[in-house]
Amino acid sequence: MKTIKHRHLLSAFLLACLLGSNSAHAGATEPNKTALGGTVGCAGNHFNRLNGAEAHRSVYLLRNYSDGTGINIDRIRVFNASGVNLYDSTADGFPTFINGVLGTTDRVLEPHQTAQLGLGDILGNTLPGNERPVQVIFDWSATAGKVLLPHIGHVLLIRDRDIATGALGGEIARQSGGCRTIFIRKR
């Protein structure tokens, strides 16, 4: 009887620890969380393998689920595996996103818009092994008052690549990964 009681207590304790540790991290997809601004970090990669026959490319999706408030994308930074800054939109210019929703003249993600950014559009050439993987950091702010946290996600696409021309071919695989809210400005 005593052993069963201890097992139940231990199970309850472990469950509480797991639930507690999960809620300690503010995730970009938490419902009804609002803020004036914040910072989101994502993983990423940009390289060729198998003697150049396979391309690994990261794409980022930025979504604004708000009904009435826009989200400024204030700054985008890319750091290599050693923490060296490879790109900073403040100094290097704001990139044009793949789907044209955001770009050099428009940094506001309007309500219910989705923007798509390719890491290759920022970095150009692929990265050598000692510089990858990378971290991509997005700083954002609400256009007015508080806004729902933006949803920012990472997709790694693996595609065939023609070694002679560098042209990308069909998709071999795809992996989605979450990004992490690292800072929220509430006041």
Side-chain angles (χ1 to χ4, degrees), residues 72-124:
N72 288 310
I73 305 303
D74 300 318
R75 186 178 185 191
I76 302 169
R77 292 171 288 157
V78 179
F79 296 91
N80 73 8
S82 299
V84 174
N85 190 326
L86 300 176
Y87 172 84
D88 187 333
S89 63
T90 305
D92 301 318
F94 199 78
T96 299
F97 283 56
I98 295 169
N99 62 353
V101 170
L102 297 178
T104 55
T105 60
D106 183 8
R107 296 180 180 199
V108 178
L109 195 58
E110 298 294 347
H112 301 291
Q113 280 188 328
T114 299
Q116 184 178 354
L117 176 66
L119 190 55
D121 296 328
I122 293 175
L123 298 179

Side-chain angles (χ1 to χ4, degrees), residues 21 40 52 87 95 114 122 156 163 166:
S21 68
V40 175
Y87 172 84
T114 299
I122 293 175
L156 176 64
I163 298 170

Side-chain angles (χ1 to χ4, degrees), residues 34-39 74 140-142 145-147 149 181 183-187:
T34 61
L36 296 170
T39 302
D74 300 318
W140 63 272
S141 61
K146 289 187 176 182
V147 67
L149 298 185
T181 297
F183 171 74
I184 296 174
R185 184 169 46 93
K186 294 191 174 205
R187 293 184 238 179

Side-chain angles (χ1 to χ4, degrees), residues 4-95:
I4 293 173
K5 194 180 241 184
H6 290 313
R7 283 187 188 157
H8 285 292
L9 287 173
L10 181 60
S11 296
F13 174 74
L14 291 173
L15 181 60
C17 288
L18 287 172
L19 292 174
S21 68
N22 206 11
S23 63
H25 303 293
T29 58
E30 290 184 271
N32 303 323
K33 277 223 177 220
T34 61
L36 296 170
T39 302
V40 175
C42 304
N45 240 323
H46 185 66
F47 69 98
N48 298 325
R49 58 175 247 146
L50 299 177
N51 296 319
E54 185 180 281
H56 290 234
R57 302 291 187 264
S58 287
V59 175
Y60 301 92
L61 301 170
L62 290 75
R63 293 185 172 97
N64 179 0
Y65 290 124
S66 173
D67 283 328
T69 304
I71 297 172
N72 288 310
I73 305 303
D74 300 318
R75 186 178 185 191
I76 302 169
R77 292 171 288 157
V78 179
F79 296 91
N80 73 8
S82 299
V84 174
N85 190 326
L86 300 176
Y87 172 84
D88 187 333
S89 63
T90 305
D92 301 318
F94 199 78

